[in-house]
Amino acid sequence: MTNKTHDIAVIGAGPAGLTAAIYAARGKYDILIIEKAVVGGTALMIDNLENYPGFPEGTKGYELAMKMEAQAKKFGAAFISDDAQNIKKENGIFKITCSSSSYLVRTVVIATGSKPVKLGVPGEEKLIGKGISWCATCDGAFFRNQPIAVVGGGNSALHEAIYLTRFASEVFVIHRRNEFRASPYLQDRLKTNPKIHLVLGSVVEKVIGEQKLEKIVIKKVADGSISELNVSGLFEAVGNTPNTGFCKDVLKLDEKGCIITDDSLESSEPGIFAVGDVRTTKLRQVATAVGDGAYVAAGLEKYLSK
Ligand code: NAP
């Protein structure tokens, strides 16, 4: 640990955290960005971001994230590869303890996003990385000319299913209800894609395979009838859970574990702010994450000028 006290630590380098860093570093604050994995967050999983303003042809999530990283560095933000474990306040200064070191800061911006939920069905753990995946952009190409399934009915599931038709011979979309919650434009594309077959009102009961996934056992919700689907891949897109384990004892969270913030995006602990998917919010988009990152700059400035 160094004894230096920094103005701001941003924990998490997805679009929300990177934008907070760009604004704060441009405002001449001394800022650290602590990221445990790869800069870009869930944006890295977006093959073609079609609704981010300024890109009429769409943009790749990782390209946008790389530009945001370069912009934050240009203004002087320092990137640190470490994994936050807890935050404690001592004499008005926050101490962030990470796996490798500790950091002293006056304010904290939590931008740790969320991680995908697992189905929790028998056979799943054994077949992770052997057919079961949560990232079509990362793993889709492994399933060229093979039948695969996607489970879920939200924007992520439909995006993944449509993207995966580039590689797979056919894509089965398994959803527990008969209606999708995904945006209508995605539903239109899904329904007109000849490679996609809908398996509605159905849930995955278990997954079977020895060295790799071989088949999925599916149960019809209405009558409990069971069927099997031979697929080599299963992409799970059944929602996300916020990455708030390291701060759950310090901050007020909602029933889903998201950080509750006020109008300034400040949490229940003065000086700790939260932006993007990790906070309680109605809309989770790259554009809204970026909006949070910009918006939090005013709250940080107010707190630091006290
Ligand atoms: P989501 O909107 O929460 O959808 C999760 C889906 O999984 C729902 O259809 C849900 O079914 C189903 N599900 C949940 N638990 C299940 C279980 N145990 N078994 C079977 N199915 C289950 O999650 P998401 O699609 O990952 O999206 C997360 C957020 O990111 C949303 O705010 C979304 O709008 C946003 N996002 C936006 C875009 C975009 O705008 N292009 C792309 C991706 C994500 P029910 O519908 O029956 O509840």
Side-chain angles (χ1 to χ4, degrees):
M1 185 180 99
T2 62
N3 287 327
K4 181 175 178 188
T5 301
H6 303 271
D7 292 328
I8 304 164
V10 174
I11 308 177
L18 288 169
T19 308
I22 290 167
Y23 272 68
R26 189 166 176 264
K28 298 287 176 206
Y29 288 109
D30 164 22
I31 175 162
L32 301 177
I33 308 185
I34 302 169
E35 168 60 56
K36 71 171 179 180
V38 187
V39 171
T42 43
L44 297 175
M45 286 154 70
I46 306 173
D47 172 58
N48 190 23
L49 183 55
E50 285 184 309
N51 58 0
Y52 192 77
F55 295 91
E57 308 304 327
T59 178
K60 295 205 175 300
Y62 81 88
E63 284 179 1
L64 186 65
M66 278 170 59
K67 286 184 178 165
M68 289 181 184
E69 179 186 7
Q71 207 168 351
K73 283 183 174 164
K74 183 183 107 175
F75 290 124
F79 283 73
I80 287 166
S81 179
D82 216 337
D83 189 359
Q85 303 295 317
N86 65 60
I87 306 173
K88 281 195 181 119
K89 198 175 196 178
E90 291 164 8
N91 304 320
I93 299 294
F94 294 105
K95 182 179 176 188
I96 304 173
T97 303
C98 299
S99 304
S100 307
S101 191
S102 300
Y103 307 92
L104 299 176
V105 295
R106 294 190 178 84
T107 56
V108 183
V109 178
I110 299 178
T112 45
S114 59
K115 57 176 174 290
V117 168
K118 290 181 184 173
L119 273 178
V121 294
E124 183 184 42
E125 287 298 328
K126 187 176 100 176
L127 292 167
I128 291 172
K130 297 173 180 170
I132 294 187
S133 170
W134 285 265
C135 178
T137 320
C138 321
D139 298 330
F142 294 127
F143 299 94
R144 269 180 215 283
N145 303 320
Q146 296 171 54
I148 58 155
V150 174
V151 59
N155 280 331
S156 297
L158 271 57
H159 252 293
E160 304 252 296
I162 294 161
Y163 174 76
L164 286 163
T165 57
R166 294 181 193 188
F167 310 104
S169 55
E170 46 190 348
V171 177
F172 297 90
V173 176
I174 305 164
H175 178 39
R176 63 185 176 185
R177 291 188 295 131
N178 291 316
E179 294 88 35
F180 292 109
R181 67 169 65 224
S183 305
Y185 83 94
L186 283 172
Q187 297 194 36
D188 288 347
R189 285 191 199 170
L190 189 86
K191 286 169 186 165
T192 52
N193 190 313
K195 277 191 175 180
I196 292 180
H197 312 290
L198 303 183
V199 185
L200 299 180
S202 302
V203 291
V204 175
E205 273 286 277
K206 64 175 164 178
V207 289
I208 296 173
E210 280 309 316
Q211 301 309 314
K212 56 187 184 62
L213 178 68
E214 289 159 20
K215 58 186 169 188
I216 304 173
V217 177
I218 294 168
K219 185 171 88 178
K220 265 260 178 252
V221 176
D223 59 12
S225 59
I226 296 287
S227 60
E228 288 184 357
L229 197 57
N230 293 322
V231 288
S232 356
L234 174 64
F235 288 80
E236 299 185 3
V238 292
N240 299 285
T241 184
N243 293 314
T244 46
F246 69 100
C247 58
K248 68 178 185 328
D249 300 330
V250 190
L251 307 181
K252 276 194 188 143
L253 307 179
D254 68 14
E255 69 290 348
K256 290 184 176 155
C258 297
I259 299 170
I260 298 169
T261 51
D262 66 11
D263 287 350
S264 306
L265 305 186
E266 195 164 19
S267 71
S268 55
E269 174 63 44
I272 301 184
F273 298 77
V275 292
D277 288 5
V278 76
R279 75 177 185 93
T280 305
T281 176
K282 287 200 172 75
L283 192 60
R284 291 185 165 84
Q285 302 271 306
V286 176
T288 55
V290 164
D292 277 10
Y295 195 75
V296 78
L300 288 167
E301 192 161 347
K302 193 172 168 198
Y303 184 91
L304 286 167
S305 64
K306 270 184 206 162

